[in-house]
Amino acid sequence: MSEELYYKSARELSGLLKAGEVSAVELTQSIIGRTKAVEERVGAFNSYDEGDAVSQAEASDQRRAAGETVGALDGIPVGIKDVLAVKDQPLTCSSKMLENFISPYDATCIQKLKQSGAVLWGRLNMDEFAMGSSTENSATHPTSNPWNLNCVPGGSSGGSAAAVAAGEAVLTLGSDTGGSIRQPASYCGVVGLKPTYGRVSRFGLAAFASSLDQVGPMARSVEDAALLLQAISGHDLRDSTSFRAEVPDFSKSFESLKGKKWKLGLPKEYFEKALDSAAMEPVQQAIDFYRELGCEIKEVSLPHTEYAVAVYYIIATAEASSNLARYDGIRYTHRAENFDPKDSVDVYNQSRAEGFGEEVKRRIILGTYALSSGYYDAYFLKAQKARTLIRQDFEKAYEEVDALLTPTSPSPAFEKGAKMEDPLSMYLSDIYTISANLAGIPGMSLPCGYSDGMPVGLQILGKPFREEEMLAIGQVFEDAHDFKNQHPEL
Ligand code: GLN
């Protein structure tokens, strides 16, 4: 049995651990073994520390032996995107800027994972500072899609998605600013969930665009995503944007929602643009599935959708230009050394020129421009107003329906290199995911089929702080299909 432990669900593994049929050390060794077997081809990790993972697993086994098991994730290996602070581990954001940085503290979601007994496993590759849709903007290496090694895994949480798909982790954490959990989840055939803005604390998440960033789970099943979401959710005094509200018991409440006949909206703007029609087919079949189930399927309109990408690239870059100002070569980041600086500004400039990659520089320049006096009103302020209209579109749609169904991405995973020379076409791969971040609503992608052998994702957009509904809607689809048991051949 043990060689396949790495592909079992967290739910099942939790049962096996409880029954004493498997130990956390055995499970962790299975993940380590699998990682060593496939990592050269997949490249999901920036780094991992086997010894550290095994000792966390030993501690879990000791807790269990003493009858002190702390939670459903006790002993389960969870991979971490290299953008979240784990005390005493590297935190690089896949950037040369932070290549030698070690976190002095734990992010709140990491602290919570530790409290739930999870075995924290490795540092997962990403686009530099989470800017990108393919993980090709990583300063370390590009990650490959486990379903086709010539294709990208999506991004920016490409390492997190690829690791789950390849069995290199049972669960992973990603972050989503404009689609970075959902889009790679769809490309790699796994479940990825962006919670409502404020559901999960951002303390200890290296900031990209603070009004959009959320941490969220990636898993091979809806139920597993719910387990991980449960562990990381909740109000945090250290993040004033985290929401002060009871966290529902997601697994229980979506169980109780089973069988509900949902009202589901199809935003017409998401379906009328020229989509890769092969990629659309599984999405259409998923919609038919809900219709046959007795759900009411209704067309709705989100009229400001056409502005979403433009608005996002003004707001996200503006916030990034401010957030990334801290990387100045003076305190804890890469410092340019082999040159003769005239003054400290010279040191900042040279260090930033060397430390940041092309895409990060492009965003800093764009964002600085949008915020500069004379352009602030024309770009930033206008984008903020349009953002409000986009949010109101959703509020209106949710008066009529419980949730929305859309494709996650306009096409399945593309080949490496295909969009690197054309940033605009790269930006458009998030056209269906970005609005949820602008509106602050939750979104989830789950596998709904294949196009030419590559996974296709169905996106469910839910009402704010009703993740359990989104999970329940996803669960009925998953239960009726076998995607969670289909794995890439590696
Ligand atoms: N691809 C989008 C971007 O490059 C979204 C990234 C993200 O969600 N972190 O900004």
Side-chain angles (χ1 to χ4, degrees):
M1 170 173 75
S2 105
E3 78 272 20
E4 284 188 1
L5 277 181
Y6 55 79
Y7 263 141
K8 290 193 186 301
S9 72
R11 171 66 75 200
E12 185 181 356
L13 288 165
S14 175
L16 292 172
L17 287 162
K18 200 166 169 184
E21 286 174 40
V22 165
S23 71
V25 169
E26 258 178 278
L27 169 57
T28 302
Q29 293 289 12
S30 163
I31 292 288
I32 292 173
R34 174 65 173 175
T35 302
K36 286 183 160 166
V38 300
E39 183 57 8
E40 207 179 309
R41 281 165 286 158
V42 178
F45 289 87
N46 280 336
S47 61
Y48 54 78
D49 182 342
E50 288 170 49
D52 173 58
V54 171
S55 47
Q56 293 178 60
E58 281 166 357
S60 167
D61 285 335
Q62 281 158 13
R63 275 195 298 277
R64 203 172 289 277
E68 288 163 1
T69 296
V70 289
L73 293 182
D74 210 329
I76 307 280
V78 182
I80 309 297
K81 184 176 180 181
D82 205 353
V83 70
L84 286 161
V86 178
K87 190 173 179 347
D88 298 331
Q89 288 192 14
L91 167 55
T92 75
C93 295
S94 289
S95 179
K96 186 175 173 193
M97 196 51 116
L98 289 170
E99 63 188 344
N100 297 314
F101 184 71
I102 304 291
S103 297
Y105 60 81
D106 281 329
T108 297
C109 60
I110 296 297
Q111 218 172 44
K112 284 175 176 281
L113 272 189
K114 286 184 175 174
Q115 282 159 7
S116 74
V119 172
L120 302 184
W121 170 233
R123 308 291 307 165
L124 291 158
N125 197 18
M126 54 188 275
D127 285 296
E128 184 179 4
F129 286 105
M131 298 175 186
S133 309
S134 68
T135 314
E136 292 167 293
N137 291 334
S138 166
T140 58
H141 62 281
T143 295
S144 301
N145 189 310
W147 291 87
N148 177 344
L149 299 173
N150 297 320
C151 289
V152 302
S156 65
S157 311
S160 302
V164 168
E168 298 177 83
V170 178
L171 301 163
T172 57
L173 285 184
S175 66
D176 190 311
T177 304
S180 277
I181 289 176
R182 291 159 287 158
Q183 184 257 24
S186 78
Y187 283 12
C188 292
V190 299
V191 176
L193 188 153
K194 181 200 92 74
T196 312
Y197 185 78
R199 176 61 92 193
V200 179
S201 168
R202 291 179 297 108
F203 179 79
L205 166 72
F208 163 12
S210 309
S211 77
L212 301 159
D213 298 339
Q214 268 292 288
V215 179
M218 304 185 83
R220 289 185 293 265
S221 70
V222 172
E223 190 181 26
D224 275 11
L227 273 180
L228 184 51
L229 178 64
Q230 194 78 52
I232 60 172
S233 293
H235 179 247
D236 179 12
L237 286 173
R238 292 177 297 186
D239 173 3
S240 61
T241 65
S242 76
F243 192 61
R244 195 185 291 271
E246 276 295 301
V247 180
D249 182 331
F250 293 119
S251 305
K252 223 190 239 151
S253 55
F254 79 78
E255 200 56 38
S256 72
L257 293 170
K258 228 180 200 163
K260 188 166 168 189
K261 301 283 179 255
W262 301 98
K263 275 194 209 158
L264 302 172
L266 307 180
K268 70 169 197 263
E269 294 77 6
Y270 285 52
F271 291 88
E272 63 198 9
K273 284 268 155 55
L275 269 174
D276 176 339
S277 52
M280 259 327 267
E281 229 178 85
V283 176
Q284 286 298 355
Q285 285 164 3
I287 294 166
D288 291 342
F289 165 84
Y290 285 106
R291 192 177 282 120
E292 280 155 28
L293 208 64
C295 294
E296 185 183 330
I297 308 282
K298 189 169 178 176
E299 187 179 275
V300 295
S301 175
L302 302 170
H304 298 91
T305 297
E306 63 174 308
Y307 304 111
V309 172
V311 166
Y312 172 85
Y313 277 96
I314 290 170
I315 292 176
T317 57
E319 293 185 17
S321 72
S322 164
N323 276 326
L324 272 60
R326 72 190 66 171
Y327 304 108
D328 56 9
I330 302 297
R331 286 166 292 181
Y332 49 83
T333 53
H334 170 78
R335 180 182 300 182
E337 254 150 12
N338 299 319
F339 82 119
D340 187 19
K342 284 196 303 295
D343 52 20
S344 51
V345 173
D346 237 15
V347 179
Y348 303 152
N349 286 343
Q350 187 60 20
S351 302
R352 288 165 69 82
E354 291 176 8
F356 288 136
E358 286 309 302
E359 183 61 26
V360 173
K361 286 181 195 163
R362 175 163 30 240
R363 306 247 182 146
I364 291 172
I365 291 168
L366 259 171
T368 307
Y369 181 79
L371 287 177
S372 57
S373 70
Y375 295 104
Y376 181 93
D377 288 1
Y379 294 111
F380 188 69
L381 208 61
K382 193 153 202 180
Q384 296 287 27
K385 290 178 181 166
R387 181 179 186 171
T388 301
L389 296 174
I390 289 168
R391 201 193 63 235
Q392 288 169 346
D393 282 354
F394 283 101
E395 286 166 3
K396 234 173 127 211
Y398 287 145
E399 285 170 11
E400 293 178 62
V401 295
D402 302 308
L404 304 169
L405 301 179
T406 84
T408 306
S409 190
S411 73
F414 46 87
E415 283 195 9
K416 287 182 190 160
K419 300 191 188 220
M420 280 306 270
E421 300 307 317
D422 183 1
L424 221 50
S425 83
M426 187 78 93
Y427 294 175
L428 288 174
S429 57
D430 296 311
I431 192 160
Y432 302 132
T433 49
I434 271 174
S435 296
N437 301 73
L438 291 168
I441 61 172
M444 175 168 86
S445 178
L446 70 159
C448 69
Y450 302 90
S451 163
D452 276 338
M454 294 306 282
V456 172
L458 170 72
Q459 180 174 236
I460 304 172
L461 297 174
K463 292 182 178 171
F465 299 105
R466 303 270 190 87
E467 284 87 356
E468 66 278 13
E469 297 187 355
M470 206 170 67
L471 287 160
I473 294 167
Q475 178 82 61
V476 279
F477 180 82
E478 186 181 87
D479 280 349
H481 298 80
D482 190 43
F483 298 119
K484 70 176 176 197
N485 296 316
Q486 292 178 23
H487 309 303
E489 270 172 44
L490 271 167

